[in-house]
Amino acid sequence: MSALEIRKVNKRYGSVHVLKEIDLSIESGEFLILVGPSGCGKSTLMNAIAGLDEISDGSIHIGGRDVTHVGPKDRDIAMVFQSYALYPSMNVAENIAFGLEMRGVDKARRAQEVARVAKLLQIDHLLERKPAALSGGQRQRVAMGRALARQPQIYLFDEPLSNLDAKLRVEMRTEIKKLHQRLGTTIVYVTHDQIEAMTLANRIAVMKDGVLQQFATPQQIYDEPVNMFVAGFMGSPAMNFIRTRVVRAGSHYGVSVRNGAGRDVVLPLPERGNGLSAWVDREVVLGLRPEQITHVTPHRLERPLVTELPCTVEVAEPTGPDTLILIRMNDQEVAARIEPHAQAPVGSPMPLAFDMSKAVLFDPATQQRCH
Amino acid sequence: MSLESLSHAPRGHARTLIHLVLIAWAGFYLLPLVVMLLTSVKPLEEIRSGTLLSLPHALTFEPWIKAWSSACTGADCRGLERFFVNSFAMAIPAVLISTAIGAVNGYALTKWRFKGSDLLFGLLLLGCFIPFQVVLLPMAQTLGWLGLANTIPGLVLVHVIYGLAFTTLFFRNFYAGIPDELIRAAQLDGAGFFTIFVRILLPISAPIIVVCVIWQFTQVWNDFLFGVAYSGNETKPVTVGLNNLVNTSTGVKEYNVDMAAALIAALPTLVVYVLAGKYFVRGLTAGAVKG
Ligand SMILES: Nc1ncnc2c1ncn2[C@@H]1O[C@H](COP(=O)(O)OP(=O)(O)OP(=O)(O)O)[C@@H](O)[C@H]1O
Ligand SMILES: [Mg+2]
């Protein structure tokens, strides 16, 4: 039975259509991540799930029960807000216990729960403090504790880590992952951070302008994006989009590219069982992630679909573990990811291995994936 | 001379100048109060012979006692005391009720938006600008219908209604600065309309409550027009009592008693400002509650 099912949900604010026909369903214990650019409707969808905003049409089911017209407190949901929303006049313990108190849990049980949660999140020493006297990371944990004190069917986290510095963010990300593994609860989680999305999610829902673009596992989203938006949105540095043409090369297909030296080369395309014949000689957008273009090593060239091409390093951006270099293909800038020691000096030629096994093609008119 | 002292010298002078101007200005404003105080503790002969600002030779509190307990308004010589008591009986409930309703209004208008809530607020705001005179007659009629004419509860009602526009405005602006997510979090925690108000919002509303109470108390206490229009013989507030006392012309004009009476009538608002004035300024500038 699905823990959460969203069926054809629409939300309009007057003439503004914020959510358009959203269809989603996750199983119990899954970690769903909502991503998308600012203003695409993520928070609106969260509020709709929580029952804080009425939806215009469609229905929402939690644990098999239709909750479309059920008030927020009866939906069996706990939410962590982007701004934490801790009650300023209550100390940490009271903040955590408030939800239990409202649900009529007696005092002894409340104290027990507060102690359990505080220990889990390592905030035992802060229980007497007011929110104003806490650091960002501590507030974040209290906000989480407030949700964890109850054991609802679904947790909603709306960008819970966005206010934290980079280091704390990574720490808390690991904490949340551990917590999910330990508690095995269903979580819906909004983030702007794609590393967060990739590391935490069982499934990712990518949204844009109120439309659900793709709903799949992180690896599927990464390797098999349905359109250019998803391909460009997920992954950092972003996927290269190279305008090119499909050509027939014997019994196979390939795309023709011209490197800086002005030589036309055909890069082979993987066989995917869909007829590419209709695309021959037509313009397409080749999607190739930077890590699929890398420095040449002998064993790499042995793999099928890997081609060596002479290129010229135009810009180099070392990131530490690897270096991002920009080259030019079909008169467009293309990023490649190489090991730092292999980099040729800027301005000089350098051969690169193009691994086409994960290459994807997009229709330039519709931006939809076509291969 | 170093660059630093160069840049500081004019600033030092400017500051002194500003201070001098401010002190002079404050003195100018305080002068009437000083004259009143001095006059109220002088015997009558001294007032007639001396100047306004001369210190009293024979200090006397007789005028204060007389103003409080035996000065005459018309033929009735019971002093200001009963008016003073009336004013409290009117101001305290009026302030508390209008503040309480204003708080709930402000809360509902910001955190439980409904269709037309902005329009309602706009209309309420308009209420701030209605001149007293406009409501004078209709209100008298209403009070008559309600059987509250010439009573203290009637005066309380008038002040509550008139004050609501202001108290609602205060609380609305204050609560507008408080993040909605706080209310949403409480809703998910299972709290309802009044629980959220009492448990989450009221505990952080102290600054605006102080502002509201001071404002309303000053308004209600100092009001003359409603007092004179809607009170009966035994229910006149102190402003009306003071007016009648000063205007009663039997025999000699007792300036010292008049001054003492005026000071007594002004005392409560002065006390409120001295005690809570700093919270007033703080509350007016209080912004959103973070965390
Ligand atoms: N009350 C409202 N009236 C009209 N439009 C609204 C209202 N609330 C939200 N919107 C619009 O709905 C869209 C989605 O908003 P939402 O807050 O869901 O975005 P989001 O994806 O959470 O963005 P962010 O990543 O910046 O938090 C925005 O374009 C916003 O302007
Ligand atoms: Mg948002």
Side-chain angles (χ1 to χ4, degrees):
Chain A
M1 185 183 57
S2 52
L4 172 67
E5 202 178 335
I6 296 165
R7 287 192 203 147
K8 301 217 172 307
V9 163
N10 283 283
K11 172 73 186 171
R12 296 181 195 84
Y13 288 110
S15 61
V16 192
H17 202 164
V18 180
L19 294 179
K20 297 169 189 156
E21 295 286 309
I22 303 286
D23 251 319
L24 280 178
S25 144
I26 52 170
E27 302 301 313
S28 177
E30 273 197 295
F31 200 127
L32 166 66
I33 294 236
L34 294 178
V35 293
S38 188
C40 71
K42 303 179 299 287
S43 297
T44 309
L45 183 57
M46 292 291 254
N47 287 339
I49 298 171
L52 294 167
D53 280 332
E54 279 274 320
I55 53 176
S56 307
D57 48 72
S59 65
I60 295 175
H61 304 253
I62 293 174
R65 183 170 70 113
D66 185 347
V67 295
T68 313
H69 302 290
V70 173
K73 76 175 200 298
D74 300 317
R75 289 200 180 188
D76 207 10
I77 274 177
M79 185 157 171
V80 177
F81 291 87
Q82 182 166 2
S83 65
Y84 312 141
L86 301 180
Y87 310 130
S89 64
M90 301 181 194
N91 67 26
V92 170
E94 288 163 339
N95 259 287
I96 295 174
F98 187 71
L100 299 171
E101 186 191 338
M102 288 300 115
R103 287 181 158 72
V105 175
D106 67 67
K107 211 168 172 182
R109 270 283 314 284
R110 291 204 305 258
Q112 222 175 316
E113 279 300 291
V114 169
R116 176 185 71 85
V117 168
K119 193 155 161 262
L120 185 72
L121 296 169
Q122 296 165 23
I123 45 174
D124 336 41
H125 58 296
L126 303 173
L127 288 177
E128 300 300 320
R129 294 227 202 133
K130 291 275 173 65
L134 299 176
S135 74
Q138 292 167 335
R139 282 181 207 179
Q140 202 274 332
R141 273 180 282 169
V142 176
M144 198 112 81
R146 198 166 60 177
L148 294 177
R150 287 167 38 210
Q151 270 133 22
Q153 294 195 40
I154 300 178
Y155 289 109
L156 303 179
F157 290 17
D158 194 352
E159 303 195 40
L161 306 187
S162 57
N163 290 343
L164 306 185
D165 66 56
K167 184 167 175 291
L168 199 55
R169 222 180 147 114
V170 175
E171 270 174 40
M172 289 309 298
R173 193 171 73 207
T174 315
E175 283 302 312
I176 291 175
K177 178 131 196 167
K178 280 195 218 152
L179 214 63
H180 177 246
Q181 282 165 356
R182 198 167 349 157
L183 302 174
T185 36
T186 315
I187 296 178
V188 182
Y189 188 110
V190 171
T191 181
H192 271 122
D193 182 327
Q194 29 191 314
I195 300 180
E196 238 167 84
M198 294 299 289
T199 49
L200 291 174
N202 293 121
R203 284 205 271 176
I204 296 179
V206 185
M207 289 173 67
K208 182 198 175 199
D209 296 336
V211 178
L212 181 61
Q213 304 287 317
Q214 189 170 7
F215 176 46
T217 64
Q219 206 59 53
Q220 277 172 326
I221 297 258
Y222 194 75
D223 290 340
E224 297 159 35
V226 296
N227 57 31
M228 285 176 73
F229 173 78
V230 175
F233 191 77
M234 294 305 288
S236 172
M239 181 184 268
N240 293 302
F241 293 127
I242 309 162
R243 282 190 167 257
T244 174
R245 309 170 71 79
V246 176
V247 294
R248 193 189 288 274
S251 61
H252 298 286
Y253 296 95
V255 284
S256 119
V257 293
R258 173 183 297 217
N259 62 357
R263 196 158 63 90
D264 278 316
V265 189
V266 172
L267 293 174
L269 286 169
E271 190 56 53
R272 290 207 176 100
N274 54 348
L276 262 180
S277 52
W279 287 93
V280 172
D281 279 343
R282 282 172 64 190
E283 190 164 289
V284 290
V285 174
L286 166 69
L288 201 56
R289 294 206 181 271
E291 64 267 28
Q292 285 148 8
I293 310 172
T294 182
H295 56 284
V296 178
T297 57
H299 73 271
R300 196 169 278 143
L301 287 176
E302 284 162 18
R303 280 192 242 147
L305 296 170
V306 176
T307 312
E308 181 184 333
L309 283 181
C311 301
T312 306
V313 182
E314 298 200 336
V315 179
E317 298 172 353
T319 64
D322 41 37
T323 295
L324 209 66
I325 57 171
L326 293 185
I327 55 172
R328 192 157 279 279
M329 297 193 77
N330 288 7
D331 277 330
Q332 295 157 63
E333 250 174 20
V334 171
R337 196 174 201 161
I338 61 172
E339 279 176 22
H341 68 83
Q343 187 212 321
V346 172
S348 52
M350 176 179 178
L352 290 173
F354 286 67
D355 181 352
M356 295 291 284
S357 58
K358 289 184 171 175
V360 287
L361 296 184
F362 300 99
D363 179 342
T366 63
Q367 309 223 323
Q368 296 297 311
R369 171 118 172 257
C370 60
H371 184 69
Chain B
M1 212 199 273
S2 79
L3 216 76
E4 201 170 307
S5 55
L6 252 177
S7 67
H8 269 96
R11 253 181 81 199
H13 284 310
R15 179 166 300 175
T16 320
L17 195 70
I18 289 171
H19 281 172
L20 281 178
V21 170
L22 286 178
I23 289 168
W25 209 247
F28 180 70
Y29 269 92
L30 276 175
L31 213 56
L33 183 71
V34 173
V35 171
M36 283 174 76
L37 256 175
L38 290 176
T39 311
S40 73
V41 290
K42 283 182 200 169
L44 259 184
E45 312 81 75
E46 224 179 282
I47 295 172
R48 265 186 237 109
S49 57
T51 63
L52 274 179
L53 277 170
S54 64
L55 290 175
H57 290 295
L59 190 68
T60 169
F61 294 105
E62 225 21 72
W64 282 75
I65 296 167
K66 184 167 183 198
W68 179 251
S69 56
S70 63
C72 298
T73 50
D76 190 337
C77 294
R78 285 182 283 165
L80 264 193
E81 183 183 1
R82 60 197 181 99
F83 303 114
F84 198 81
V85 171
N86 284 345
S87 267
F88 268 113
M90 167 187 76
I92 290 173
V95 169
L96 293 184
I97 295 169
S98 60
T99 303
I101 300 179
V104 176
N105 280 354
Y107 165 56
L109 283 173
T110 49
K111 303 302 176 202
W112 297 79
R113 298 284 192 80
F114 46 90
K115 244 197 165 77
S117 59
D118 283 336
L119 179 72
L120 187 73
F121 178 64
L123 291 177
L124 260 169
L125 209 58
L126 212 60
C128 295
F129 303 111
I130 295 177
F132 280 25
Q133 291 79 350
V134 172
V135 293
L136 224 46
L137 281 178
M139 185 55 88
Q141 201 135 41
T142 311
L143 288 178
W145 282 330
L146 292 173
L148 292 175
N150 301 340
T151 64
I152 285 183
L155 277 174
V156 170
L157 182 69
V158 174
H159 282 298
V160 166
I161 292 173
Y162 207 83
L164 265 185
F166 292 92
T167 58
T168 303
L169 176 68
F170 286 143
F171 278 97
R172 196 207 85 110
N173 288 352
F174 183 77
Y175 290 146
I178 289 178
D180 289 348
E181 292 192 343
L182 217 53
I183 277 67
R184 307 191 139 198
Q187 267 180 287
L188 279 173
D189 267 346
F193 182 89
F194 274 105
T195 314
I196 294 175
F197 179 58
V198 173
R199 296 285 304 273
I200 313 287
L201 284 184
L202 267 193
I204 54 175
S205 306
I208 202 65
I209 292 176
V210 171
V211 168
C212 204
V213 165
I214 293 183
W215 172 269
Q216 273 301 90
F217 186 80
T218 320
Q219 292 296 307
V220 176
W221 187 273
N222 287 340
D223 164 71
F224 179 76
L225 190 61
F226 287 155
V228 83
Y230 304 134
S231 63
N233 234 345
E234 290 301 314
T235 56
K236 291 193 192 329
V238 74
T239 43
V240 179
L242 174 67
N243 173 70
N244 293 357
L245 185 143
V246 173
N247 284 342
T248 298
S249 47
T250 47
V252 280
K253 191 97 186 116
E254 294 177 294
Y255 290 110
N256 49 4
V257 176
D258 291 352
M259 294 302 169
L263 284 172
I264 289 172
L267 213 53
T269 44
L270 275 178
V271 168
V272 165
Y273 267 110
V274 169
L275 290 184
K278 70 170 180 224
Y279 297 105
F280 186 76
V281 177
R282 214 180 284 168
L284 277 180
T285 55
V289 181
K290 279 271 170 197

